[in-house]
Amino acid sequence: MALAKIKETDYLFSTARVRSIEKNMLSRERAERMIDAKTNEDAMRILYDCNYGYGKEQIAAKDFEILLTEEHKKTYDFIMSIAPELNNFKIFLYIYDYHNLKVIMKSEYLGTVDEESLVDTGSIAINTLKYAVKERDFSELTENMGKSLKEIIEQFPKNKDPQIIDIILDKFCYMEILDKAEEINNKFIIDYVKLQIDLINLKTFIRLRKMNKSWDLFSKVFISGGRIPEKVFIKNYDEVFESFAGQLFVYGFKDLFLEGIDALNETGKFTVLEKLFDNKLIEYVKSAKYISYGIEPLAAYLIAKDNEIKIARIIMAGKLAGIPSELIRERMRETYV
């Protein structure tokens, strides 16, 4: 059943609210000041200047993750409080539901307890997810979530490979996100999801090739729904990366792919490649800044805040670890504002 049709003009008020607080976001200049701050507390103070937290007593720099978790939840609560149609924004919460299901399923099958990895920002309460898994009652979950868990329950006992949990949940997660994007029928959101899928598949392709894994494993983890078909990857699986890059020209990824591969070959690390891919997403999202009103500015704000929190995490973790400023700066993502 299609989601409720909301007129663009219904977003006039909520777009104005978002525009009014975008000025508080972590800009490039503010991020640079965080990196160069003399103390970790000074760096945290810049986040408070960006209205992080709930206005209560400030958190110690070493506990910055608490502040980032609060900001994450506050951002989603804000959008949900002003959005004309809440269902149109659940799409951005599914990734956290599926992340939580990964943690819960691994806890059951591997005997691990990793409560700290659970994220309290999904569309479904953590206790509801735990109950569903424990009792095998999926009635409170989405149809795709139920299907993914049934597949894991069927497949995992056969080989007891924890990777199967990630593979199945990732596939169903992006299948669900894309399905909902198409129900919303908004080009900005659909194209964003397709871009996400393409970048995930490209990263997976590179990682598996670097690990000398065969094409059949890639075929298992490939996520459908992006613009780059699976056959492009499989047909060129044994080609050198430079040759494969030529196949990506028509999809707009050739230069990005080559730059990431050059950095990977030079350093042996995926750091630069991941940064380039994240920047590709945020550059796409910036197009929403030129849209006067509609679902796009709200969606872009959610995505941009996720990116901003990632930047804050990179900076604070780097400073606490004593990493030199120039190395932190190399890892920093592009900002939205």
Side-chain angles (χ1 to χ4, degrees):
M1 188 171 115
L3 298 175
K5 182 67 175 174
I6 299 293
K7 302 188 299 294
E8 285 189 359
T9 50
D10 291 332
Y11 283 92
L12 278 167
F13 169 75
S14 52
T15 300
R17 288 289 309 278
V18 166
R19 295 289 188 234
S20 71
I21 64 169
E22 280 182 348
K23 64 180 182 294
N24 296 323
M25 293 183 71
L26 188 68
S27 63
R28 181 83 195 188
E29 184 269 335
R30 284 169 168 162
E32 292 282 356
R33 281 169 45 212
M34 280 185 72
I35 294 171
D36 293 331
K38 286 185 168 56
T39 68
N40 297 330
E41 287 69 27
D42 286 342
M44 282 278 279
R45 203 165 290 118
I46 293 168
L47 293 180
Y48 284 111
D49 290 342
C50 294
N51 287 344
Y52 271 54
Y54 287 99
K56 58 186 182 183
E57 185 178 343
Q58 295 192 0
I59 295 166
K62 65 181 177 62
D63 298 322
F64 72 90
E65 280 290 355
I66 296 173
L67 183 66
L68 300 189
T69 300
E70 285 182 353
E71 185 65 16
H72 192 252
K73 180 164 176 44
K74 189 176 77 172
T75 299
Y76 279 84
D77 287 347
F78 167 68
I79 290 297
M80 292 304 184
S81 72
I82 64 171
E85 174 50 67
L86 300 185
N87 279 332
N88 285 348
F89 292 90
K90 280 188 178 180
I91 183 173
F92 299 103
L93 302 177
Y94 289 138
I95 193 165
Y96 305 110
D97 293 323
Y98 280 90
H99 164 81
N100 288 336
L101 287 173
K102 285 182 186 180
V103 175
I104 295 166
M105 290 303 287
K106 287 178 181 178
S107 176
E108 174 179 322
Y109 281 125
L110 306 179
T112 57
V113 179
D114 193 15
E115 290 285 327
E116 290 185 0
S117 292
L118 293 170
V119 182
D120 190 23
T121 321
S123 69
I124 299 175
I126 291 172
N127 285 338
T128 302
L129 296 176
K130 286 181 176 179
Y131 176 85
V133 171
K134 182 180 179 182
E135 301 298 329
R136 301 300 195 249
D137 177 1
F138 308 137
S139 58
E140 295 299 313
L141 309 185
T142 67
E143 184 179 355
N144 272 333
M145 288 177 199
K147 286 180 179 177
S148 67
L149 293 174
K150 288 174 184 175
E151 190 168 327
I152 291 169
I153 291 164
E154 178 187 345
Q155 294 294 328
F156 184 83
K158 294 178 182 177
N159 56 23
K160 303 197 183 300
D161 181 2
Q163 192 178 36
I164 198 69
I165 296 173
D166 290 329
I167 291 172
I168 292 172
L169 285 170
D170 282 343
K171 283 199 171 189
F172 276 93
C173 176
Y174 283 96
M175 185 190 307
E176 178 137 25
I177 290 172
L178 185 57
D179 284 349
K180 290 297 182 287
E182 289 172 345
E183 284 183 18
I184 295 168
N185 194 27
N186 177 271
K187 186 178 186 303
F188 173 83
I189 294 178
I190 292 172
D191 287 349
Y192 174 75
V193 175
K194 286 179 176 289
L195 177 58
Q196 264 192 316
I197 292 171
D198 282 333
L199 291 172
I200 291 169
N201 286 332
L202 282 168
K203 279 191 280 190
T204 303
F205 178 81
I206 294 167
R207 285 186 182 277
L208 294 184
R209 287 278 306 273
K210 284 289 185 181
M211 294 166 66
N212 293 317
K213 298 294 184 181
S214 61
W215 67 267
D216 55 326
L217 177 56
F218 175 80
S219 195
K220 287 178 184 176
V221 300
F222 175 81
I223 299 172
S224 60
R227 292 177 59 230
I228 310 174
E230 182 180 3
K231 64 183 179 183
V232 171
F233 291 101
I234 301 302
K235 183 180 176 183
N236 297 279
Y237 201 80
D238 295 321
E239 296 290 332
V240 295
F241 282 138
E242 289 73 17
S243 175
F244 174 68
Q247 302 295 315
L248 300 177
F249 176 79
V250 68
Y251 305 103
F253 292 112
K254 179 183 177 181
D255 293 341
L256 177 74
F257 183 84
L258 287 174
E259 186 178 352
I261 290 299
D262 285 345
L264 178 59
N265 290 337
E266 185 179 334
T267 66
K269 297 178 181 178
F270 281 82
T271 310
V272 174
L273 186 135
E274 299 226 346
K275 171 184 171 179
L276 290 169
F277 283 16
D278 283 348
N279 287 350
K280 178 81 171 175
L281 284 169
I282 208 66
E283 284 298 331
Y284 171 79
V285 172
K286 283 182 180 182
S287 64
K289 291 200 284 189
Y290 305 103
I291 297 173
S292 300
Y293 53 85
I295 191 173
E296 296 89 346
L298 277 69
Y301 181 74
L302 279 178
I303 298 164
K305 284 293 288 187
D306 277 353
N307 180 68
E308 173 185 290
I309 289 169
K310 180 183 288 188
I311 292 170
R313 179 174 291 112
I314 288 169
I315 296 172
M316 291 305 303
K319 291 186 76 67
L320 283 163
I323 295 172
S325 295
E326 60 270 19
L327 294 182
I328 298 176
R329 196 167 275 110
E330 284 178 11
R331 295 190 59 208
M332 199 178 87
R333 273 54 175 170
E334 187 67 40
T335 59
Y336 181 70
V337 296

